Amino acid sequence: MTTILLTGSSRGIGAATAATLSAAPDVTLVGHGTASGIAADFADPAGPRTLWDAALAKLGHIDVLINNAGVFEANPIDHADDAWVAAWERTMRINLTASAELCRFAIRHWQEREAPGRIVNVASRAAYRGDSPAHWHYAASKAGMVAMTKSIARGYASHGILAFAVCPGFTMTGMAEDYLASRGGDKLLADIPLGRVADPGEVADAIAFFALHAPPSATGAVLDVNGASYVR
């Protein structure tokens, strides 16, 4: 039985991933979110530890950690200084620092058990391409996730601890729908050669592949799911 902790499981990519993994044989999943799973506020520095301890108590041990929780909130440069810094730090705390803390808890858990483990970090196309002038902080947080993933892969492969990242482009979640509407949907869609944004289930399939099936030699890999709107 493979036990999985999935953050941000209440909606969008997280909900699709929860459904995909829950349908897989021999998988037990604990989700995190306000609408489903264990509630934990990642804006609160105590949130990651609260979630980890609760999930561990429920599962007994954790084999796979999937960091999907995140926020996408505008932060224009003409905000007041204090407000701009607060918004920057909030996004970094939720998107990157909380994920880093959970990765640390997971790695120490596997080391103590002398057991293998897998981490899948859900980053973004913005990690490589950047984002809008109001979303420096979002792009920076996702670039940090990619760099963290590669560092973990290089540092702990010899322990059987594997790390992967998925970088979606626009995905038809509530968050993406709002952004598409605010930025002129047709213009943005014209920048996607596939001609449409991704379905959450497509991203979920990529996450599930890394969580359950990717060969160990793929550790450190980053998979793009963006309709060829950014290719590396």
Side-chain angles (χ1 to χ4, degrees):
M1 182 66 67
T2 300
T3 57
I4 299 176
L5 170 59
L6 166 66
T7 73
S9 63
S10 295
R11 62 176 187 167
I13 290 170
T17 301
T20 297
L21 290 171
S22 295
D26 300 320
V27 168
T28 300
L29 181 140
V30 165
H32 148 254
T34 54
S36 65
I38 300 167
D41 181 6
F42 284 177
D44 179 352
R49 172 56 80 178
T50 297
L51 174 63
W52 180 263
D53 288 348
L56 196 57
K58 194 167 186 177
L59 292 170
H61 71 277
I62 293 170
D63 298 313
V64 180
L65 166 66
I66 302 172
N67 281 311
N68 170 70
V71 293
F72 182 80
E73 299 168 344
N75 190 26
I77 62 170
D78 56 0
H79 273 173
D81 291 353
D82 289 350
W84 190 89
V85 171
W88 178 281
E89 292 181 346
R90 169 178 160 80
T91 289
M92 289 296 175
R93 157 58 57 187
I94 294 171
N95 289 10
L96 181 57
T97 305
S99 294
E101 291 182 82
L102 288 167
C103 287
R104 175 175 172 265
F105 299 152
I107 291 167
R108 288 175 61 84
H109 173 63
W110 297 324
Q111 287 177 328
E112 290 168 3
R113 297 183 67 239
E114 297 183 348
R118 292 186 178 223
I119 292 169
V120 185
N121 289 322
V122 182
S124 169
R125 176 186 74 170
Y128 293 100
R129 174 173 155 155
D131 211 286
S132 80
H135 293 90
W136 300 0
H137 53 337
Y138 178 79
S141 71
K142 295 303 186 177
M145 288 189 80
V146 171
M148 178 175 70
T149 301
K150 294 183 177 187
S151 298
I152 292 169
R154 289 175 57 81
Y156 302 98
S158 63
H159 298 262
I161 296 170
L162 313 178
F164 311 92
V166 177
C167 284
F170 286 116
T171 305
M172 194 48 69
T173 66
M175 186 167 61
E177 288 169 353
D178 293 343
Y179 186 68
L180 283 167
S182 71
R183 296 293 299 278
D186 291 342
K187 182 178 179 181
L188 287 177
L189 288 175
D191 191 40
I192 304 174
L194 186 61
R196 63 172 177 83
V197 299
D199 180 84
E202 293 179 295
V203 183
D205 286 343
I207 295 169
F209 170 70
F210 279 145
L212 299 176
H213 305 299
S217 290
T219 190
V222 181
L223 184 59
D224 298 322
V225 186
N226 64 45
S229 60
Y230 185 81
V231 293
R232 294 180 285 120

